[in-house]
Amino acid sequence: MKKDPGLIFRAILVFSDAFAVVIAFLVAYLARIYIDNRPYFFEAEPGSFVSTVVLLVPVWVLLHAMLGLYNKSVILSHSRTAELSRLFLASVLGMMALITYDFFAGKHFFPTRMVAVYAALLCFIMLCLSRGVIHYIRARFARNNRGTLRAVII
Protein backbone atom coordinates (compact mmCIF):
# COMPACT_ATOMS: atom_id res chain seq x y z
CA MET A 1 0.00 0.00 0.00
CA LYS A 2 1.33 3.41 -0.97
CA LYS A 3 1.98 5.82 1.86
CA ASP A 4 0.91 9.35 1.05
CA PRO A 5 1.09 11.84 3.92
CA GLY A 6 -0.08 14.51 1.48
CA LEU A 7 -3.46 12.78 1.21
CA ILE A 8 -4.01 13.08 4.96
CA PHE A 9 -2.89 16.71 4.82
CA ARG A 10 -5.35 17.48 2.01
CA ALA A 11 -8.17 15.75 3.89
CA ILE A 12 -7.42 17.89 6.94
CA LEU A 13 -7.44 20.97 4.70
CA VAL A 14 -10.87 20.04 3.32
CA PHE A 15 -12.36 19.65 6.81
CA SER A 16 -10.71 22.81 8.12
CA ASP A 17 -11.94 24.78 5.10
CA ALA A 18 -15.49 23.55 5.67
CA PHE A 19 -15.28 24.41 9.36
CA ALA A 20 -13.84 27.86 8.61
CA VAL A 21 -16.63 28.64 6.13
CA VAL A 22 -19.35 27.63 8.61
CA ILE A 23 -17.76 29.64 11.43
CA ALA A 24 -17.34 32.68 9.15
CA PHE A 25 -21.01 32.62 8.19
CA LEU A 26 -22.14 32.20 11.78
CA VAL A 27 -19.97 35.08 12.97
CA ALA A 28 -21.20 37.27 10.09
CA TYR A 29 -24.81 36.42 10.89
CA LEU A 30 -24.37 37.08 14.60
CA ALA A 31 -22.47 40.32 13.95
CA ARG A 32 -25.22 41.64 11.71
CA ILE A 33 -28.14 40.50 13.85
CA TYR A 34 -26.84 41.36 17.32
CA ILE A 35 -24.28 44.14 16.83
CA ASP A 36 -25.52 46.17 13.86
CA ASN A 37 -28.78 47.93 14.77
CA ARG A 38 -29.97 48.92 11.27
CA PRO A 39 -33.35 47.54 10.09
CA TYR A 40 -33.51 44.15 8.36
CA PHE A 41 -34.83 43.22 4.94
CA PHE A 42 -36.68 40.35 6.63
CA GLU A 43 -36.41 38.41 9.86
CA ALA A 44 -34.27 35.30 9.36
CA GLU A 45 -34.51 32.13 11.38
CA PRO A 46 -31.08 31.18 12.78
CA GLY A 47 -31.81 27.47 12.35
CA SER A 48 -32.66 27.75 8.66
CA PHE A 49 -29.63 29.98 8.07
CA VAL A 50 -27.29 27.44 9.67
CA SER A 51 -28.86 24.48 7.85
CA THR A 52 -28.58 26.27 4.50
CA VAL A 53 -24.92 27.13 5.15
CA VAL A 54 -24.14 23.53 6.10
CA LEU A 55 -25.89 22.25 2.97
CA LEU A 56 -23.96 24.66 0.74
CA VAL A 57 -20.50 23.95 2.23
CA PRO A 58 -19.85 21.11 -0.27
CA VAL A 59 -20.31 23.64 -3.08
CA TRP A 60 -17.67 25.80 -1.40
CA VAL A 61 -15.25 22.88 -1.04
CA LEU A 62 -15.85 21.91 -4.68
CA LEU A 63 -15.07 25.48 -5.69
CA HIS A 64 -11.81 25.28 -3.73
CA ALA A 65 -10.93 22.05 -5.51
CA MET A 66 -11.71 23.60 -8.91
CA LEU A 67 -9.43 26.52 -8.11
CA GLY A 68 -6.62 24.10 -7.25
CA LEU A 69 -6.40 24.86 -3.55
CA TYR A 70 -5.80 21.17 -2.78
CA ASN A 71 -3.05 20.64 -5.39
CA LYS A 72 0.41 19.76 -4.14
CA SER A 73 2.00 22.58 -6.14
CA VAL A 74 -0.11 25.18 -4.34
CA ILE A 75 0.03 23.55 -0.91
CA LEU A 76 3.77 22.92 -0.88
CA SER A 77 4.89 26.17 -2.51
CA HIS A 78 7.11 28.35 -0.36
CA SER A 79 5.35 31.49 -1.50
CA ARG A 80 1.91 31.87 0.04
CA THR A 81 0.77 34.56 -2.40
CA ALA A 82 -0.61 32.01 -4.89
CA GLU A 83 -2.59 30.30 -2.16
CA LEU A 84 -3.84 33.54 -0.62
CA SER A 85 -4.92 34.96 -3.97
CA ARG A 86 -6.81 31.75 -4.74
CA LEU A 87 -8.41 31.85 -1.30
CA PHE A 88 -9.59 35.40 -1.91
CA LEU A 89 -10.96 34.43 -5.32
CA ALA A 90 -12.70 31.39 -3.80
CA SER A 91 -14.27 33.56 -1.08
CA VAL A 92 -15.63 36.06 -3.59
CA LEU A 93 -16.81 33.41 -6.07
CA GLY A 94 -18.41 31.36 -3.32
CA MET A 95 -20.27 34.39 -2.06
CA MET A 96 -21.42 35.19 -5.59
CA ALA A 97 -22.65 31.59 -5.92
CA LEU A 98 -24.66 31.97 -2.71
CA ILE A 99 -26.13 35.28 -3.86
CA THR A 100 -27.07 33.64 -7.17
CA TYR A 101 -28.68 30.75 -5.27
CA ASP A 102 -30.54 33.27 -3.12
CA PHE A 103 -31.82 35.06 -6.21
CA PHE A 104 -32.92 32.04 -8.24
CA ALA A 105 -34.24 29.89 -5.40
CA GLY A 106 -36.69 32.56 -4.32
CA LYS A 107 -35.71 32.04 -0.70
CA HIS A 108 -34.31 34.86 1.31
CA PHE A 109 -31.03 33.53 2.60
CA PHE A 110 -29.40 36.75 3.76
CA PRO A 111 -31.37 38.94 6.19
CA THR A 112 -29.45 41.91 4.76
CA ARG A 113 -26.90 42.24 2.01
CA MET A 114 -24.28 43.24 4.57
CA VAL A 115 -24.27 39.66 5.88
CA ALA A 116 -22.91 38.61 2.47
CA VAL A 117 -20.15 41.22 2.65
CA TYR A 118 -19.30 40.31 6.24
CA ALA A 119 -19.32 36.61 5.38
CA ALA A 120 -17.05 37.03 2.35
CA LEU A 121 -14.46 38.98 4.34
CA LEU A 122 -14.66 36.71 7.36
CA CYS A 123 -14.50 33.64 5.16
CA PHE A 124 -11.25 34.85 3.62
CA ILE A 125 -9.81 35.70 7.04
CA MET A 126 -10.88 32.40 8.62
CA LEU A 127 -9.55 30.37 5.68
CA CYS A 128 -6.20 32.17 5.87
CA LEU A 129 -5.98 31.61 9.62
CA SER A 130 -6.95 27.94 9.50
CA ARG A 131 -4.59 27.18 6.63
CA GLY A 132 -1.81 29.11 8.36
CA VAL A 133 -2.22 27.03 11.51
CA ILE A 134 -2.29 23.79 9.53
CA HIS A 135 0.82 24.76 7.55
CA TYR A 136 2.59 25.62 10.80
CA ILE A 137 1.67 22.26 12.34
CA ARG A 138 2.78 20.44 9.19
CA ALA A 139 6.13 22.28 9.25
CA ARG A 140 6.62 21.30 12.90
CA PHE A 141 5.94 17.66 12.01
CA ALA A 142 8.37 17.84 9.08
CA ARG A 143 11.13 19.20 11.33
CA ASN A 144 10.69 16.15 13.55
CA ASN A 145 10.62 13.78 10.53
CA ARG A 146 6.98 12.91 11.04
CA GLY A 147 4.72 12.66 8.04
CA THR A 148 7.63 12.62 5.62
CA LEU A 149 8.68 9.89 3.25
CA ARG A 150 12.16 8.46 3.35
CA ALA A 151 13.95 8.22 0.04
CA VAL A 152 17.19 6.64 -1.01
CA ILE A 153 19.10 8.46 -3.73
CA ILE A 154 21.44 6.23 -5.66
Side-chain angles (χ1 to χ4, degrees):
M1 187 166 126
K2 181 181 173 185
K3 292 182 181 180
D4 187 12
L7 179 67
I8 296 169
F9 181 65
R10 286 190 295 268
I12 291 171
L13 279 177
V14 168
F15 287 117
S16 73
D17 288 350
F19 184 71
V21 168
V22 170
I23 293 299
F25 272 94
L26 290 178
V27 170
Y29 179 81
L30 293 175
R32 177 59 179 104
I33 298 298
Y34 294 113
I35 295 174
D36 199 350
N37 57 3
R38 290 178 285 179
Y40 307 127
F41 177 63
F42 68 95
E43 197 65 35
E45 288 286 325
S48 75
F49 184 80
V50 170
S51 65
T52 306
V53 167
V54 170
L55 287 175
L56 292 176
V57 163
V59 173
W60 213 283
V61 171
L62 181 66
L63 182 65
H64 283 194
M66 288 177 13
L67 289 173
L69 283 166
Y70 303 119
N71 292 345
K72 280 186 180 181
S73 61
V74 174
I75 293 171
L76 298 177
S77 68
H78 294 291
S79 172
R80 292 285 167 231
T81 56
E83 186 176 18
L84 292 179
S85 62
R86 289 181 189 203
L87 281 174
F88 181 74
L89 182 63
S91 297
V92 171
L93 288 176
M95 189 52 56
M96 296 310 293
L98 288 181
I99 290 172
T100 304
Y101 168 77
D102 184 36
F103 179 75
F104 285 115
K107 297 179 182 179
H108 294 291
F109 178 63
F110 299 111
T112 63
R113 298 299 176 229
M114 284 306 291
V115 172
V117 174
Y118 293 160
L121 293 174
L122 285 171
C123 185
F124 174 67
I125 292 168
M126 293 296 291
L127 286 169
C128 289
L129 288 175
S130 68
R131 282 181 171 247
V133 167
I134 290 172
H135 282 296
Y136 175 76
I137 292 170
R138 185 166 193 264
R140 296 289 295 181
F141 275 121
R143 276 190 218 126
N144 295 330
N145 290 328
R146 303 211 186 244
T148 59
L149 296 176
R150 295 181 183 162
V152 176
I153 299 175
I154 299 174

